Structure formats: C-alpha cells, structure tokens
Amino acid sequence: MPPRYRCDHRGRGGNRWRTSSSLPPPPAPTRTARARSASSPRPPSGTSPPPTSCWSPGARRGVSDQPLLDWIRRIHRDGAAADIRAFDAAIDPARAEGLLTALDRVRADAARGADLDFELLRHWQQFVLGTPRPPEFRALPAFAKEGRERYGIGPDTRARLDACLAESAPDSERPLPLTARAARAYLDVCFFHPFDDGNARCAFLTLVFVLAREGAALDNVSLLRRVSYRAADPSGPVFLGNFVNRHLVETRRRTG
C-alpha cells in the first residue's frame, strides 16, 4: 500500500498513507515472560487487573479502553500544562501563556465531545499565535525541516484534512486503539501543515484533545514534543504511537 503521508514535490502535498488499519502491537511475550505471568498472583474472583498496554488484543478488537481510562482520570499532574510552563515559557512567556489558554479551550471542547476538524483547530490556533481572528488555511505550499520537506496545496487539501481528522473518533466498524488514533491525528496536522506557523504546537494540542475526549490525560509528555518525524518515514507513526502508549501506561502506574 502507498505510504499514508508523502511529501509531494509536484505541489499537491498532504497525501495520506495507510500501512494497515492499526499500528502494530508489541512483540508476543517470550517463554520466560509467559512463565512469569503464569506464576504471578491472580486477581480476586470477579475482578480484572488494569491493562498493561493500550495495544492489548481487546483494544484492537474494539473493546472499550475504559479500564485504563479509569486509572488515567485519577491523574495528579497535568503533564501537558507542566511541559508548556517549562519548555515554552523558556522560549517566550507570551508563547506559553497563549498555549495554556489554547489548552484550556482544548479540554473544554473535548469535554463537550466536539468533532475534530480544521474549524476547531483554527479556533485553538488563534490563542496559540495570539492573532485577532482564527487563522485561515494556508494558501501557499509550506516548507519544514529547513526546507527538506515541502507540503503542497490543492483545492481539496482542507477537505482531505477534515476527512483524516474525523478518523480520530471511535469507530466500531473499524476499531483502532486510542493511542493509534491520537498518533495519527498528531501526524495529520504535522504533514497537512494547515497553518503558516505553529503547526507543531497545534499537532500537540490535537493529540491532547483526542486523548481527553475519551477521558485520558498524561502526567508527562516529554517524548511527544522532543522528537521530529519525517513525512516519508513509515516508521514514524509506529514510534509515536508507542510513545503515547508508554506515557499512558506510566501515567497509570504512577497514579496507582
């Protein structure tokens, strides 16, 4: 199958790729791991332990992520806000203030179950960039990574972005784990590159929104904002999905 994203130097840009309906699960447990699991204490009858990974077979079949999300709801530290105060404030206090305001808007939109589309993004981006009005979709090709990647523009680019972002919602007919949907939405914003500025920040907010809409939050986001992904690299979504999964699992562990 063609890659989900492709830098199209002929001027279209923003093309999607689909390696499969989901990101791959972790490797099967080794014989030693299976033996260790078999010897571990069993939960009381009638109860189930919280899942150890969002890539669990149940999640891939469309079974609810609720056991994990119940743990996440007891989070004691807002990792997204903490990272903004530490990372963005060091760059520019005004940048951090705008991003924190946008984060509050993201959480409010997630709480009301808003649909994810460009119109929602541009209202967040108004706070991110501090513009008088929500910014419009870019009108010209965009460049990133010191000009190594070019994102073209066509009459249907915005519509294709909206169609891609719509896939971030749960779908019983084509079930994807929450972590996969959050990673895909993040990269959709990165590689459709809808704004003239601030796309990485918008992608981060998008990931936070997809998680929050289903009741999840992270107490640490360091792996999510410090790694760059290339549009032509099919391994990027796998790494990002695993980073999201790792942060969710660690948040659950620390929350107890």
Side-chain angles (χ1 to χ4, degrees):
M1 294 184 181
R4 180 186 180 101
Y5 302 105
R6 179 174 74 241
C7 281
D8 190 337
H9 296 278
R10 292 171 296 178
R12 295 282 293 178
N15 293 304
R16 296 274 295 212
W17 63 261
R18 302 174 185 276
T19 55
S20 68
S21 62
S22 174
L23 301 181
T30 63
R31 179 179 302 176
T32 302
R34 287 195 297 267
R36 185 182 297 117
S37 176
S39 63
S40 300
R42 299 296 181 185
S45 177
T47 65
S48 298
T52 58
S53 171
C54 288
W55 301 110
S56 64
R60 289 172 60 80
R61 289 194 304 269
V63 176
S64 173
D65 290 321
Q66 197 63 38
L68 177 62
L69 301 187
D70 286 341
W71 284 74
I72 300 300
R73 288 194 180 97
R74 297 202 296 272
I75 187 172
H76 298 297
R77 178 179 183 269
D78 186 342
D83 192 75
I84 292 169
R85 294 189 180 102
F87 178 76
D88 298 276
I91 299 173
D92 181 0
R95 166 184 167 128
E97 182 180 355
L99 197 48
L100 286 169
T101 302
L103 180 63
D104 288 340
R105 182 67 177 264
V106 165
R107 296 264 168 77
D109 289 335
R112 66 181 178 84
D115 293 331
L116 183 60
D117 57 16
F118 175 74
E119 191 64 26
L120 196 65
L121 300 185
R122 66 191 291 260
H123 281 88
W124 302 341
Q125 202 71 350
Q126 179 180 5
F127 299 107
V128 171
L129 301 178
T131 55
R133 292 177 298 276
E136 300 294 337
F137 203 100
R138 62 181 172 86
L140 298 172
F143 297 85
K145 301 176 179 63
E146 299 180 346
R148 295 190 299 274
E149 289 191 356
R150 176 184 185 275
Y151 311 112
I153 188 73
D156 62 342
T157 303
R158 173 174 172 172
R160 287 189 290 121
L161 172 60
D162 281 340
C164 293
L165 293 177
E167 295 178 2
S168 68
D171 185 345
S172 59
E173 295 183 0
R174 301 180 59 191
L176 277 176
L178 174 59
T179 48
R181 289 182 277 115
R184 282 169 51 151
Y186 177 101
L187 295 176
D188 285 337
V189 175
C190 286
F191 299 140
F192 275 93
H193 221 74
F195 302 107
D196 292 326
D197 189 25
N199 289 283
R201 282 168 282 172
C202 186
F204 172 61
L205 292 175
T206 299
L207 186 148
V208 171
F209 170 84
V210 174
L211 295 178
R213 188 169 56 181
E214 295 179 44
L218 303 173
D219 67 1
N220 188 333
V221 299
S222 59
L223 289 176
L224 306 181
R225 301 194 68 198
R226 306 295 187 270
V227 180
S228 178
Y229 301 93
R230 293 183 294 111
D233 181 7
S235 67
V238 178
F239 282 113
L240 178 58
N242 286 333
F243 287 158
V244 177
N245 182 73
R246 184 184 307 177
H247 277 311
L248 278 170
V249 171
E250 287 299 305
T251 297
R252 185 209 63 190
R253 182 184 62 81
R254 286 186 288 265
T255 299

